[in-house]
Amino acid sequence: MNNENNKRIWSDYQKEIADDHFFFVRSCIRQSFFPGSEQFFLHLMRNILGKDVYENPSHTTCTGIGYHTDIVPFPTIMTVVARHFALMKEAGYKNLAISCVTSFGIYTEIIETWKHFPEELEKTREYLYKATGREFDLPENMAHTSDIVYNFRNEIAAKSRYNLINRFTGKPLKVVEHVGCHYSKMFPKYGVGGAEFPKVLSGMAEAWGGEVIDYPERRHCCGFGFRQYLVQANRGYSLSNSVKKFESMKPYKPDVIITNCPGCNMFMDRWQYTVKEMEGKTYGENGQSIPVLTYEELAGLVLGIDPWQLGLQYHMVQSEPLLDKLGIPYNPADKYRTREGKEMPVPENLINV
Amino acid sequence: MERLYNQLLEDVRFREGMNACMNCGVCTAICPAAEFYNYDPRKIVNEVQKKDDETIEVLLKSDTIWYCGECMSCKTRCPRGNTPGLIIMALRTLSQKTGYFTETEKGRQQFAIKRTIGENIFNYGYCVAAYAVNPDMHPEQGPIWRYIIDHSKEIYERLGVKYDELGEGPLRKIPEDAKEELRNIFEVTGGTDFMEEIEKHSKNKAKELGIQISETGIRNEYFTKVYTENSNRHTLNDQEEL
């Protein structure tokens, strides 16, 4: 096949990602469960890569979890998102950086809806003006924050202090990458590599020296399922789907799981605890569980940031086995302290301790 | 009453998601819900495309439409450009507008979601916020979550969080004027009316069943019932055992 043909075929899987001047929108789940990740993203962008990232305190939830649990109507969420576009316009930004995969899916769905049904865009403009007096433009560039980190993966590699190499074996670390469903399964053109060849996380892992595992259930949903987790009676759905993935990846002996979705990250961490409690089953080596990291936490480790500043100690599955493999030094006595350095109680019954 | 099928057509998601199904079943093969629940998206799309109101009414009053997890994996795979997930979303919206959702165990759960996620949106400006995730309702979060809730201020401060304060940052307090705009958007776009419909139909059902329900919040018998009740008649294994 000649190069021109190759280029044409793969052009559908490319994504243009802005490289500066971002309007940053946070995630409800990430800010609650992995706030260190969002904070490190800002530190990485502003202080390590020297980029301009703006955050507006008036930005609210996109209501995406309400929408996907079917209590928020479509016209309502379209108008809430339009308000965010208005805040971006007012601040003079054109590139949107979205921290949440549910939100990212919502933004892509809404923009595509407005293309297919222009009357919905007009209706939304009227609703927003009536409700808030605001007007909006569409973003020129829209990226998930994992797209942005992917875009700078080689710069991060150039500044890295640690590679994803198992220092006990000298071999690349075996990485499971789990891409959130709403990142590119709905609208493949908005994701790096589309839905068929998502490269966003594997590209980072490989650039930093790791080896990505291709296992049978690699693209299966983590099982969040919105109402299937949020209502206690339904949680078997959520747990069962994660277990399906864990069983499928176990034979490949993963050292770490990385995700780009707030829900996936939380569930793959917490369900390992649950299934261990319920059935005594574990999925890592030597009876341990597999640490589940956000891509920012992994980038932070590669760059030599203190694991406790990233918040790794606030996962259920603790990361020490991974830190040992990477040869990253850590002080166990610093794990649970206040900002001022005062000692705090140590949580009990965590995993991998 | 306007035909149910016509009401579905008014939803752009239905028009986007429902083209012509050739019953290949790829959606069912890829579906995480079909993996465990007695659920078959192919069948639902096929039933809806018959445009028969009686069939649609049965669906709107069923547990079936509430099994989907809205992961949208079906959208990627359908060779005819249908999206069963979007059809489900349109059916769920209509089931709540008509009040049919209170007819089944899985449908009635919408009340629990409204009283948790729905109230969070108005109270905090977030769907989810750490302080609204009660460890007693989330045992699967494990001991780390209770620890985080017990020491919230210190833990979040160390990670650079302005916990429930105005200004930039994670878990910041959303300013009152922003929450007011959010409420206005719900008002203008029908979001408030929609949630009131969920309340109204749920209260009627609670009355019919003789179960206590409160005006707000989650401390009432009806909430506990719909949040925790599981008849164990939903999965493929359960069906075999019956």
Side-chain angles (χ1 to χ4, degrees):
Chain A
M1 196 182 287
N2 67 36
N3 272 344
E4 276 313 301
N5 262 350
N6 253 341
K7 262 191 206 163
R8 185 177 54 78
I9 289 166
W10 288 101
S11 65
D12 285 351
Y13 299 95
Q14 310 298 319
K15 173 175 178 170
E16 196 177 314
I17 303 162
D19 62 3
D20 204 353
H21 306 296
F22 296 99
F23 185 86
F24 174 63
V25 289
R26 287 187 186 272
S27 149
C28 292
I29 294 184
R30 267 156 64 85
Q31 67 170 357
S32 296
F33 293 92
F34 310 105
S37 293
E38 284 195 342
Q39 292 309 81
F40 178 69
F41 174 77
L42 292 177
H43 176 68
L44 168 71
M45 294 298 288
R46 289 171 175 163
N47 306 325
I48 300 178
L49 298 169
K51 305 293 175 181
D52 165 37
V53 185
Y54 171 77
E55 179 187 359
N56 187 320
S58 214
H59 164 254
T60 67
T61 174
C62 74
T63 68
I65 296 174
Y67 175 64
H68 280 298
T69 48
D70 306 279
I71 57 163
V72 172
F74 198 31
T76 306
I77 193 167
M78 284 195 280
T79 312
V80 173
V81 164
R83 178 178 175 273
H84 296 165
F85 290 158
L87 295 178
M88 184 168 80
K89 175 188 165 92
E90 289 159 22
Y93 284 81
K94 292 172 179 173
N95 303 327
L96 190 58
I98 305 164
S99 169
C100 173
V101 160
T102 299
S103 297
F104 183 74
I106 298 288
Y107 282 89
T108 58
E109 181 184 351
I110 289 174
I111 287 192
E112 287 301 300
T113 300
W114 290 342
K115 281 185 196 160
H116 295 192
F117 304 94
E119 67 278 12
E120 294 296 322
L121 172 59
E122 288 318 304
K123 224 190 303 173
T124 306
R125 288 193 192 284
E126 285 168 30
Y127 283 148
L128 184 69
Y129 192 77
K130 200 171 163 194
T132 68
R134 294 182 195 267
E135 294 177 293
F136 66 98
D137 294 331
L138 300 190
E140 279 181 11
N141 188 277
M142 200 162 73
H144 185 257
T145 43
S146 62
D147 291 332
I148 298 168
V149 175
Y150 168 85
N151 207 21
F152 292 118
R153 68 196 182 285
N154 295 326
E155 284 84 341
I156 293 169
K159 292 174 191 289
S160 68
R161 286 186 55 193
Y162 301 96
N163 290 329
L164 301 182
I165 302 288
N166 185 332
R167 69 176 178 136
F168 301 119
T169 63
K171 290 184 177 160
L173 220 60
K174 291 189 282 284
V175 180
V176 158
E177 52 87 84
H178 177 82
V179 177
C181 291
H182 289 199
Y183 170 73
S184 65
K185 282 186 184 172
M186 296 193 286
F187 299 99
K189 68 176 179 183
Y190 286 99
V192 178
E196 303 300 342
F197 309 100
K199 190 81 183 140
V200 61
L201 294 176
S202 58
M204 290 180 211
E206 284 163 4
W208 303 336
E211 181 188 308
V212 175
I213 292 171
D214 195 10
Y215 64 104
E217 298 297 345
R218 185 174 173 185
R219 298 289 166 230
H220 193 77
C221 173
C222 75
F224 177 16
F226 299 95
R227 71 187 323 277
Q228 314 303 355
Y229 168 72
L230 291 162
V231 178
Q232 193 168 357
N234 302 343
R235 283 181 196 151
Y237 168 112
S238 197
L239 173 62
S240 303
N241 279 298
S242 278
V243 167
K244 187 178 161 73
K245 288 187 71 80
F246 295 144
E247 295 284 351
S248 173
M249 70 178 75
K250 186 177 179 174
Y252 300 83
K253 298 182 176 159
D255 295 304
V256 62
I257 299 171
I258 55 169
T259 77
N260 71 341
C261 177
C264 306
N265 209 94
M266 184 172 79
F267 295 118
M268 295 181 86
D269 179 64
R270 304 302 205 257
W271 290 135
Q272 285 191 78
Y273 156 74
T274 307
V275 81
K276 187 169 186 248
E277 283 286 297
M278 288 171 77
E279 298 183 343
K281 272 192 176 175
T282 52
Y283 296 96
E285 279 181 295
N286 309 322
Q288 290 182 320
S289 298
I290 313 165
V292 188
L293 269 58
T294 67
Y295 52 93
E296 290 112 327
E297 287 167 342
L298 191 68
L301 291 182
V302 162
L303 288 166
I305 306 289
D306 178 39
W308 316 142
Q309 285 309 316
L310 294 166
L312 291 185
Q313 68 276 45
Y314 303 121
H315 296 219
M316 259 318 292
V317 180
Q318 297 297 293
S319 303
E320 279 88 339
L322 174 69
L323 301 176
D324 292 340
K325 285 177 195 168
L326 289 169
I328 293 178
Y330 53 88
N331 184 353
D334 284 346
K335 231 176 149 178
Y336 300 102
R337 287 182 184 276
T338 64
R339 188 173 55 182
E340 289 76 27
K342 210 178 105 197
E343 233 173 87
M344 288 176 62
V346 176
E348 290 175 3
N349 301 321
L350 304 188
I351 298 184
N352 286 359
V353 178
Chain B
M1 191 173 70
E2 195 186 344
R3 280 198 61 202
L4 292 171
Y5 187 77
N6 289 347
Q7 290 188 66
L8 285 175
L9 273 180
E10 285 167 17
D11 193 323
V12 285
R13 296 170 304 181
F14 185 77
R15 300 211 296 278
E16 177 76 25
M18 180 76 250
N19 298 304
C21 168
M22 60 181 183
N23 274 295
C24 68
V26 168
C27 54
T28 303
I30 198 82
C31 176
E35 186 82 30
F36 300 102
Y37 280 137
N38 182 23
Y39 178 68
D40 186 343
R42 177 198 60 80
K43 242 166 114 179
I44 294 177
V45 177
N46 193 43
E47 283 177 9
V48 171
Q49 76 176 353
K50 291 176 188 159
K51 304 181 184 177
D52 171 46
D53 266 20
E54 273 179 38
T55 311
I56 293 169
E57 189 175 323
V58 171
L59 277 176
L60 297 178
K61 290 178 175 172
S62 72
D63 275 322
T64 314
I65 60 168
W66 301 101
Y67 291 149
C68 163
E70 298 190 13
C71 71
M72 300 297 180
S73 301
C74 50
K75 185 178 191 313
T76 322
R77 288 284 168 260
C78 177
R80 299 292 288 269
N82 299 304
T83 308
L86 284 179
I87 297 169
I88 285 289
M89 291 168 85
L91 287 165
R92 287 176 176 180
T93 299
L94 188 53
S95 178
Q96 291 172 96
K97 279 185 180 165
T98 51
Y100 291 155
F101 72 103
T102 61
E103 297 295 311
T104 59
E105 179 187 310
K106 295 293 182 195
R108 285 192 287 273
Q109 293 171 342
Q110 288 307 98
F111 173 72
I113 296 169
K114 191 268 165 188
R115 286 279 173 106
T116 49
I117 304 296
E119 301 297 307
N120 286 350
I121 293 173
F122 296 120
N123 290 337
Y124 311 119
Y126 298 124
C127 282
V128 175
Y131 37 77
V133 182
N134 180 345
D136 290 333
M137 289 165 75
H138 293 274
E140 76 291 342
Q141 288 287 337
I144 195 66
W145 188 244
R146 189 170 293 283
Y147 177 81
I148 289 172
I149 290 298
D150 287 347
H151 304 90
S152 297
K153 207 171 170 336
E154 297 93 327
I155 289 171
Y156 285 110
E157 250 180 26
R158 184 178 181 187
L159 298 175
V161 175
K162 276 193 171 181
Y163 191 75
D164 208 23
E165 286 176 29
L166 289 170
E168 287 178 18
L171 285 170
R172 69 200 176 282
K173 191 195 271 288
I174 300 287
E176 275 311 312
D177 56 348
K179 281 199 277 187
E180 183 65 28
E181 287 190 21
L182 203 54
R183 280 192 288 270
N184 288 346
I185 289 173
F186 270 78
E187 197 70 42
V188 165
T189 57
T192 314
D193 286 347
F194 189 75
M195 286 201 192
E196 278 170 11
E197 286 292 309
I198 299 175
E199 285 281 334
K200 183 183 87 184
H201 294 298
S202 301
K203 283 172 186 160
N204 288 344
K205 182 50 88 176
K207 203 171 156 194
E208 183 191 316
L209 297 172
I211 299 173
Q212 180 258 340
I213 189 168
S214 60
E215 274 310 305
T216 55
I218 62 172
R219 290 178 198 281
N220 60 84
E221 287 170 25
Y222 189 73
F223 178 90
T224 305
K225 178 183 165 62
V226 301
Y227 184 71
T228 59
E229 183 178 43
N230 191 339
S231 62
N232 290 322
R233 286 166 180 249
H234 305 287
T235 69
L236 296 166
N237 290 340
D238 297 334
Q239 297 290 319
E240 279 162 18
E241 281 165 20
L242 284 173

